[in-house]
Amino acid sequence: MGSYRVCLCFQRRFNVAEVVPPQDVRDIFLKYSEDGTHMSPDQLRRFLSEAQGEEEEEPQKVVEWVVQKRHHITKFARHNLSLDDFLHYLFSPELNPPIPSQVNQDMTAPLSQYFIFTGHNSYLTGNQLSSDCSDVPIIKALNRGVRVVELDIWPNSTKDDVLVLHGRTLTTPVELIKCLRSIKEHAFSASPYPVIITLEDHLTPNLQAKASQMIMETFGDMLFCLDHENSDVFPSPEELKYRILISTKPPKEYLTSKSVKENSRKLVKSKDSDDDDDDWGKEVTEVAKAQNEDDTGDFNTKQPSDDDESNDDESERNQQSEYKCLIAILAGKPKGSVKEALKVENDKVRRLSLSEQALENAAESLGTDLIRFTQKNFLRVYPKGTRFNSSNYKPLIGWMHGAQMVAFNMQGYGRNLWLMHGMFKANGGCGYVKKPNFLINVGPNNEVFNPIDKLQVKKTLKVKIYFGDGWRMDFKQTHFDLYSPPDFYVRVGIAGVPADNTMKKTKIIEDNWVPVWEEEFTFPLTVPELALLRVEVHEYDMSEKDDFAGQTCLPVAELKQGIRAVPLYDRKGNKYNSVRLLMLFEFI
């Protein structure tokens, strides 16, 4: 029983509801158990095979684990499950998760056939203008499974060392060597698959040589270098396990960026909205100012400075050659239009970078060109320069066009980052997700997938939300309401291609820490391969903005059928200790 102080004179008392098995769970238990009283290991195995679509080789161990955890029986453990034991099993994210926890996709295809978990300005601790540069956010990103780390490298004030910082801003720098050493130490803590370091290089030739020496000494045999003259197919993630790849432009393509107006003091108002809006409404109020693009990609015009003038000295040529040999994925700075830049060269694999706006513009008329390019080459998409507070854009447009590196501010927050986290929960969270075949294959008449085509519904996902629990363990009694238990509701929907996007809502369950909804929803899907299931729990507040109570995002292609325990995460994407939902997933 919980009590809430209403005034100095008295308290209101509320019973804390116990978790009760839903009727569907009772019916299943009755169907598969002995006389509706106990379920044996063999019966559990049959339930898992027929209802959950998976095989369990050692159901006896599962039964013993559940019974011991619930009843602390060690010597004379029961060898079957009661109804409450069975519900405990179903409601355990460790035993009954909604998606597989292991790598389950083919990892032997060329690297360009995978979506890759990609960071943007990976060294920033906060906003893009005045936060600190540090190796800490790089370590956090790697530990979350991020596989592409971006470093902006600049000369120090005396031009004798290399720093990492966001150029032409007030961010405090960090030494390149510190970032490199942290990458080496943490690169494979979450995944054995390759880590790619993308360098935004603003160095003079002698400092490029110093940077290359640092890279070689730090990583040694971990570095993967490619003979670009004799390679038209890139190796696979499997072949590149525990390797470090450098991706940047060849040395001669670097020119110091033209000067901009004095940093953040002369920023002007932008016509572009910088709200992290999506199909679920506004979430973050953002600064509406503009800065000249700092992350220049491959289409900004740069003016040469004195530091960039060519020197025919043999030593410099050797330095440039050494630097170029480190580059595994060549980034280009093509001349001309985006259409020309998207031409596929038979004897080369390269990387092209586009801002989120440039991608949106290209998608309107060059959708199939983007698809053909990304079937072999790498496309990196990065946030527009006005996202000062490290917000993010909608990632689906990049994925729809086969972009492997949809670069996100991992230190940011918001719904779009939740989608990124959701996509890369797939394939065991290893940071590489195999692209759907329609983004890889060419048809009999040399046609490719066109994202603007209207498609028929391929399959329909049925979702049932039974109940939720765990808030009473993870939150203070007065977190949501000072005077009564919370009033929870769930928003559930799909993020995917435009035709599949939708969001629906359950009823509000008032004054209950263990809300029971028992509501069912159906979602017709035209491109289920790119669909993400979005789940958000909120607490209704009559007088103020509804309170956030948890979220998750799950790749539809990996959803396990049947009744599943779905753990929820906080705003930053960290998993709560106890908060979870019991849900049913069916494809019809």
Side-chain angles (χ1 to χ4, degrees):
M1 179 176 287
S3 62
Y4 293 77
R5 184 174 296 278
V6 177
C7 66
L8 295 176
C9 303
F10 66 94
Q11 294 179 332
R12 294 179 67 190
R13 295 185 179 276
F14 297 86
N15 289 321
V16 177
E18 293 300 316
V19 176
V20 176
Q23 189 59 49
D24 284 1
V25 173
R26 293 174 182 272
D27 292 343
I28 288 172
F29 188 77
L30 183 62
K31 177 179 177 181
Y32 287 97
S33 64
E34 298 174 1
D35 302 324
T37 56
H38 292 93
M39 180 180 286
S40 70
D42 284 342
Q43 290 163 340
L44 176 63
R45 178 193 280 124
R46 190 163 68 91
F47 158 73
L48 292 172
S49 176
E50 295 176 7
Q52 305 285 91
E54 60 187 0
E55 301 299 325
E56 174 56 61
E57 295 180 359
E58 300 184 62
Q60 180 64 48
K61 287 188 176 180
V62 174
V63 170
E64 289 176 359
W65 189 91
V66 172
V67 172
Q68 185 173 346
K69 188 171 182 183
R70 292 202 70 234
H71 305 288
H72 308 291
I73 299 173
T74 57
K75 190 172 181 181
F76 302 105
R78 283 193 286 108
H79 300 298
N80 47 39
L81 300 177
S82 68
L83 174 59
D84 286 339
D85 293 334
F86 181 59
L87 177 62
H88 181 88
Y89 166 79
L90 290 177
F91 205 32
S92 167
E94 295 79 22
L95 294 177
N96 189 34
I99 60 174
S101 58
Q102 304 297 322
V103 172
N104 54 73
Q105 298 175 2
D106 173 22
M107 301 301 287
T108 62
L111 203 70
S112 59
Q113 293 189 14
Y114 297 82
F115 297 129
I116 311 174
F117 203 179
T118 301
H120 171 257
N121 289 351
S122 306
Y123 49 86
L124 288 178
T125 58
N127 71 66
Q128 303 284 309
L129 294 179
S130 60
S131 67
D132 291 336
C133 301
S134 168
D135 62 331
V136 173
I138 296 172
I139 294 169
K140 287 181 179 178
L142 291 169
N143 288 338
R144 191 183 278 276
V146 169
R147 299 289 85 191
V148 182
V149 171
E150 182 187 31
L151 303 177
D152 281 328
I153 50 179
W154 294 79
N156 65 354
S157 58
T158 54
K159 297 192 176 183
D160 60 358
D161 199 6
V162 183
L163 300 178
V164 173
L165 72 151
H166 198 196
R168 305 184 298 278
T169 67
L170 305 177
T171 56
T172 55
V174 60
E175 291 179 339
L176 172 62
I177 190 64
K178 186 175 184 180
C179 295
L180 296 178
R181 287 170 179 167
S182 293
I183 291 171
K184 180 182 180 180
E185 183 177 351
H186 298 274
F188 306 109
S189 57
S191 168
Y193 294 103
V195 166
I196 301 167
I197 302 174
T198 58
L199 298 176
E200 187 73 24
D201 186 339
H202 306 271
L203 302 178
T204 57
N206 63 313
L207 285 180
Q208 286 177 350
K210 184 166 185 173
S212 66
Q213 194 65 30
M214 286 184 197
I215 291 168
M216 287 187 290
E217 290 179 357
T218 302
F219 298 115
D221 292 341
M222 297 170 70
L223 273 177
F224 173 78
C225 300
L226 188 69
D227 181 357
H228 297 282
E229 302 303 321
N230 299 297
S231 179
D232 61 347
V233 177
F234 214 83
S236 69
E238 190 65 32
E239 294 172 284
L240 294 169
K241 272 185 173 179
Y242 301 106
R243 304 299 292 272
I244 303 289
L245 284 65
I246 304 298
S247 179
T248 186
K249 301 184 185 94
K252 288 185 179 179
E253 295 193 28
Y254 287 111
L255 300 171
T256 302
S257 298
K258 59 183 179 180
S259 61
V260 296
K261 297 178 182 179
E262 294 177 278
N263 296 327
S264 56
R265 289 187 288 273
K266 294 193 177 181
L267 298 174
V268 295
K269 290 284 184 180
S270 171
K271 296 179 181 178
D272 297 313
S273 168
D274 191 24
D275 290 332
D276 194 7
D277 288 351
D278 52 23
D279 299 310
W280 310 285
K282 288 186 178 180
E283 179 175 276
V284 185
T285 303
E286 304 188 23
V287 182
K289 293 181 178 181
Q291 176 193 32
N292 288 329
E293 293 280 350
D294 187 44
D295 188 342
T296 55
D298 295 327
F299 283 95
N300 267 20
T301 303
K302 295 183 178 182
Q303 302 299 325
S305 70
D306 293 340
D307 292 331
D308 301 307
E309 289 179 0
S310 179
N311 186 338
D312 290 331
D313 182 91
E314 183 178 350
S315 171
E316 182 173 308
R317 286 200 302 272
N318 290 338
Q319 289 173 354
Q320 290 186 337
S321 176
E322 186 178 71
Y323 187 79
K324 187 170 183 178
C325 286
L326 292 178
I327 304 172
I329 304 175
L330 285 171
K333 185 187 174 188
K335 298 177 181 178
S337 66
V338 175
K339 184 174 179 62
E340 291 172 336
L342 291 171
K343 288 180 179 176
V344 178
E345 300 174 67
N346 292 330
D347 59 343
K348 282 186 182 177
V349 175
R350 56 191 174 91
R351 193 197 91 205
L352 176 68
S353 290
L354 295 175
S355 71
E356 58 175 287
Q357 295 160 307
L359 176 68
E360 287 179 13
N361 294 336
E364 291 181 6
S365 57
L366 300 172
T368 55
D369 295 87
L370 287 164
I371 300 287
R372 290 185 192 279
F373 180 83
T374 56
Q375 286 178 337
K376 177 183 177 182
N377 299 286
F378 295 90
L379 178 61
R380 174 178 168 269
V381 184
Y382 60 89
K384 60 187 177 183
T386 53
R387 294 191 179 276
F388 300 138
N389 68 345
S390 297
S391 66
N392 289 297
Y393 52 100
K394 295 177 177 66
L396 268 302
I397 188 169
W399 294 330
M400 283 166 52
H401 292 86
Q404 297 87 350
M405 302 179 186
V406 177
F408 260 39
N409 294 308
M410 297 298 168
Q411 79 281 18
Y413 53 94
R415 284 175 168 92
N416 289 326
L417 187 57
W418 300 348
L419 297 182
M420 179 65 66
H421 290 164
M423 167 64 89
F424 289 100
K425 286 187 180 88
N427 203 20
C430 75
Y432 286 84
V433 175
K434 188 78 160 58
K435 292 200 284 188
N437 287 335
F438 63 79
L439 290 175
I440 299 170
N441 298 334
V442 176
N445 298 314
N446 199 35
E447 73 273 14
V448 296
F449 174 72
N450 191 339
I452 65 173
D453 286 346
K454 289 187 177 181
L455 303 171
Q456 299 296 314
V457 171
K458 197 181 257 186
K459 63 173 67 174
T460 297
L461 172 65
K462 183 169 81 170
V463 174
K464 189 168 185 177
I465 305 171
Y466 292 109
F467 66 86
D469 195 12
W471 292 280
R472 52 186 170 160
M473 281 76 88
D474 290 351
F475 292 85
K476 291 181 179 178
Q477 182 175 311
T478 54
H479 177 87
F480 296 105
D481 199 315
L482 290 174
Y483 307 113
S484 66
D487 308 320
F488 290 126
Y489 65 92
V490 182
R491 301 175 78 192
V492 58
I494 297 293
V497 299
D500 295 346
N501 287 336
T502 186
M503 206 68 180
K504 301 178 181 181
K505 181 179 171 182
T506 67
K507 58 182 175 288
I508 298 168
I509 304 299
E510 296 183 351
D511 297 335
N512 205 319
W513 282 101
V514 187
V516 177
W517 294 283
E518 294 262 7
E519 291 191 52
E520 192 172 285
F521 303 91
T522 56
F523 301 104
L525 303 172
T526 62
V527 186
E529 298 90 342
L530 294 178
L532 298 166
L533 179 69
R534 293 282 291 106
V535 181
E536 298 179 12
V537 180
H538 297 273
E539 199 271 337
Y540 175 72
D541 194 318
M542 185 180 298
S543 58
E544 299 178 7
K545 183 180 178 182
D546 292 353
D547 293 318
F548 173 83
Q551 59 84 22
T552 192
C553 183
L554 298 168
V556 168
E558 294 218 352
L559 283 177
K560 294 184 173 186
Q561 71 179 52
I563 299 175
R564 301 288 172 178
V566 179
L568 297 186
Y569 298 74
D570 65 16
R571 289 182 182 275
K572 294 182 179 179
N574 301 313
K575 187 160 70 171
Y576 289 123
N577 291 328
S578 308
V579 179
R580 62 204 187 278
L581 303 177
L582 189 69
M583 300 177 68
L584 170 72
F585 305 118
E586 288 182 350
F587 289 99
I588 54 177

